[in-house]
Amino acid sequence: MTPDVPVPRGLFRHSRTGTSGVFVTGTGTEVGKTVVAAVLARTLAAEGKRVAVFKPAVTGLDEAADGPIRQGDLDVSAHRRPDHVLLREAAGSEQSDEEIAPYRYGPPMSPHLAAELAGEEIDRERLLAAARAAADGADALVCEGVGGLLVPLATDYLVRDLAVDLGLRLVVAATPGLGTINHTLLTLEAARSAGLEVGFVVLTPWPEVPNPIEESNRETIATLGEVRVETLQRLDLADPPSWPRLPAPLPLG
Ligand SMILES: Nc1ncnc2c1ncn2[C@@H]1O[C@H](COP(=O)(O)OP(=O)(O)O)[C@@H](O)[C@H]1O
Ligand SMILES: [Mg+2]
């Protein structure tokens, strides 16, 4: 499961899909990968790029929202929309569900288990073909992983292996608060040990007034992880025009 070919530096010309791209991973599940990937997609689209999005497998569709969910005065359904739907909207893409996420499952569990319960296996070649097809004709590909880097897509094929196969540089989503130093440094180590390059870490949602722990986490991760650290404020996910752009340079090569 280690890469047999060094990962190229410049994704713009050398990504294995033939298209500029980025792979958004995170320190785990529910840490902001989709939000960060959506903001990246929107940032690239706002630059005039045709952006394609890709998500190898979506699980938990049983819990996804297909209508408004009210919390007081607020419609929070945007937080419960399936990842591929949010990514498509952010990118302004016209890809079908199937083109964005070739494997889609109802139960909220690891993709390898969700696939097994559905009586199938996630297939590496099918994933790579789907990623290439998604990238075809696009200027940039934004791929969101599933869970963290060591999540199995199949018993012998981890999310990390897919990132290596695609030859994409990583963006790592992480939470700002207690526990994030360990989770983020572990993720950086897992990435680098497989030859993956990390563009930057994004701490999300970054509070308007960060407390001393959050400020310190940001600095500690940058120093100990020898990595660029960005922050992303809390967004109204239902209102993409109000989102900020992630600062350049984006790790696309
Ligand atoms: N910057 C942000 N603004 C608003 N909500 C955020 C932000 N970052 C994370 N969240 C919230 O955190 C939760 C997990 O985010 P999500 O992107 O779905 O995580 P993941 O893709 O890693 O599972 C969601 O409810 C999302 O709304
Ligand atoms: Mg997600």
Side-chain angles (χ1 to χ4, degrees):
M1 282 182 238
T2 48
D4 49 0
V5 185
V7 176
R9 284 190 65 82
L11 298 182
F12 193 83
R13 286 174 299 277
H14 305 296
S15 143
R16 311 264 165 85
T17 62
T19 301
S20 159
V22 65
F23 193 100
V24 180
T25 187
T27 53
T29 195
E30 286 288 305
V31 295
K33 291 184 300 296
T34 306
V35 174
V36 168
V39 171
L40 268 168
R42 198 171 161 80
T43 301
L44 291 163
E47 290 172 2
K49 291 192 166 70
R50 286 166 303 169
V51 181
V53 286
F54 186 70
K55 169 106 190 172
V58 176
T59 61
L61 287 177
D62 289 346
E63 297 181 339
D66 50 11
I69 301 174
R70 305 222 66 90
Q71 249 177 33
D73 287 341
L74 216 58
D75 175 4
V76 296
S77 53
H79 293 251
R80 295 274 304 277
R81 287 214 299 281
D83 288 359
H84 56 285
V85 174
L86 206 72
L87 294 174
R88 175 168 50 217
E89 282 178 17
S93 149
E94 290 177 357
Q95 295 165 272
S96 67
D97 291 357
E98 177 71 21
E99 285 166 336
I100 298 172
Y103 294 96
R104 301 179 304 286
Y105 301 108
M109 53 181 65
S110 171
H112 82 293
L113 184 57
E116 189 183 316
L117 293 181
E120 58 185 19
E121 248 183 54
I122 293 179
D123 179 63
R124 170 179 183 251
E125 299 310 322
R126 184 175 157 201
L127 280 182
L128 296 180
R132 271 192 294 271
D136 192 31
D139 301 314
L141 177 71
V142 176
C143 178
E144 180 192 346
V146 190
L149 282 177
L150 300 192
V151 163
L153 292 165
T155 44
D156 61 351
Y157 193 61
L158 307 178
V159 168
R160 180 172 67 175
D161 299 322
L162 174 66
V164 170
D165 277 342
L166 293 176
L168 295 174
R169 208 174 284 167
L170 299 184
V171 165
V172 178
T175 57
L178 193 62
T180 202
I181 296 175
N182 179 53
H183 290 149
T184 306
L185 296 182
L186 283 171
T187 299
L188 295 177
E189 196 166 298
R192 289 169 178 157
S193 73
L196 288 163
E197 274 187 54
V198 178
F200 52 74
V201 170
V202 184
L203 299 179
T204 182
W206 188 251
E208 261 175 55
V209 184
N211 66 34
I213 295 176
E214 290 153 344
E215 283 290 11
S216 169
N217 286 346
R218 175 188 185 169
E219 284 163 27
T220 306
I221 289 168
T223 307
L224 295 185
E226 297 179 9
V227 71
R228 177 178 155 200
V229 180
E230 298 290 344
T231 60
L232 184 62
Q233 74 220 47
R234 183 168 287 283
L235 310 178
D236 178 355
L237 297 183
D239 185 24
S242 69
W243 298 354
R245 297 186 190 182
L246 280 173
L250 296 180
L252 292 168

